[in-house]
């Protein structure tokens, strides 16, 4: 199924290196907005730098793949010490393939982490990657995102549907 994910978590910070290794992943592709911070916020969530350091210390490679433009992605990626792919065209495979190439892994060795089924999860599935769905950090305010969130509901874990 194109909208299936391997695991679901409330927060990125709940994911440990052991969980990633348990999925047989060598690298992580991260989304930014509503995964590592709120929409258009240049400041990472509290604890993100330590989380990135813990993953790196465990030998897990990381990269940001975002549909945003470079002026949004570069400063955020540099702030947390990660390489990045901007304008990743998610859910198309382009950004995922480039991210895996830069990490030196095959797509099947990576895991994508994000908050949106129709971009993050679908894109990972199209590349043969595993994926982890996160609850969005905060609800979006635009009609476009409200519609997308409504359309995602059938694919969400039951506990997510209530909120």
């Amino acid at each position: 199924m194109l909208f299936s994910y391997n695991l679901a978590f409330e927060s990125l910070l709940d994911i440990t290196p052991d969980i990633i290794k348990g999925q047989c992943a060598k690298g992580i592709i991260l989304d930014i907005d509503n995964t590592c911070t709120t929409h258009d916020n240049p400041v990472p969530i509290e604890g993100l730098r330590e989380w990135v350091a813990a993953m790196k210390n465990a030998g897990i490679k990381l990269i940001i793949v975002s549909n945003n433009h470079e002026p949004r992605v570069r400063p955020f990626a540099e702030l947390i010490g990660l390489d990045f792919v901007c304008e990743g065209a998610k859910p198309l495979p382009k950004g995922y393939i480039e991210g895996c190439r830069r990490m030196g892994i095959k797509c099947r060795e990576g895991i994508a982490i994000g908050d949106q089924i129709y971009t993050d999860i679908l894109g990972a599935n199209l590349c043969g990657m595993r994926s982890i769905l996160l609850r969005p950090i905060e609800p979006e305010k635009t009609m476009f995102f409200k519609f997308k969130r409504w359309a995602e509901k059938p694919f969400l874990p039951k506990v997510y549907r209530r909120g």
Side-chain angles (χ1 to χ4, degrees):
M1 184 167 155
L2 286 177
F3 304 122
S4 67
Y5 42 89
N6 298 84
L7 300 168
F9 287 89
E10 289 288 320
S11 166
L12 180 64
L13 304 180
D14 295 333
I15 302 167
T16 65
D18 287 340
I19 290 169
I20 298 300
K21 289 181 177 184
Q23 292 293 306
C24 300
K26 295 180 180 177
I28 298 171
I29 287 182
L30 283 173
D31 180 42
I32 295 178
D33 290 327
N34 253 340
T35 298
C36 294
T37 189
T38 54
H39 266 280
D40 299 320
N41 186 348
V43 180
I45 57 173
E46 189 174 323
L48 182 62
R49 287 183 186 97
E50 294 81 5
W51 183 87
V52 166
M55 290 295 170
K56 287 180 176 181
N57 288 340
I60 298 167
K61 299 174 182 185
L62 298 108
I63 192 167
I64 291 172
V65 174
S66 175
N67 284 347
N68 280 299
H69 301 292
E70 188 170 348
R72 164 71 173 130
V73 181
R74 178 183 293 280
F76 189 86
E78 288 175 350
L79 197 60
I80 60 173
L82 294 181
D83 191 9
F84 64 92
V85 175
C86 55
E87 300 176 19
K90 295 186 291 186
L92 298 177
K94 171 190 167 223
Y96 294 91
I97 292 168
E98 177 63 15
C100 287
R101 185 191 68 75
R102 288 190 193 180
M103 288 190 289
I105 64 171
K106 296 178 175 131
C107 284
R108 69 176 178 269
E109 298 172 325
I111 191 161
I113 302 176
D115 67 298
Q116 292 186 58
I117 288 179
Y118 293 116
T119 54
D120 306 312
I121 303 306
L122 176 58
N125 288 340
L126 290 173
C127 291
M129 295 180 78
R130 286 170 299 286
S131 58
I132 296 176
L133 178 67
L134 297 180
R135 182 188 288 269
I137 296 170
E138 71 177 16
E140 295 92 351
K141 295 164 183 53
T142 66
M143 287 306 293
F144 173 72
F145 274 106
K146 286 180 180 183
F147 175 76
K148 277 178 68 171
R149 295 298 182 190
W150 171 82
E152 289 177 343
K153 281 192 178 193
F155 306 104
L156 296 177
K158 287 184 175 133
V159 69
Y160 282 17
R161 293 182 201 170
R162 286 180 238 149

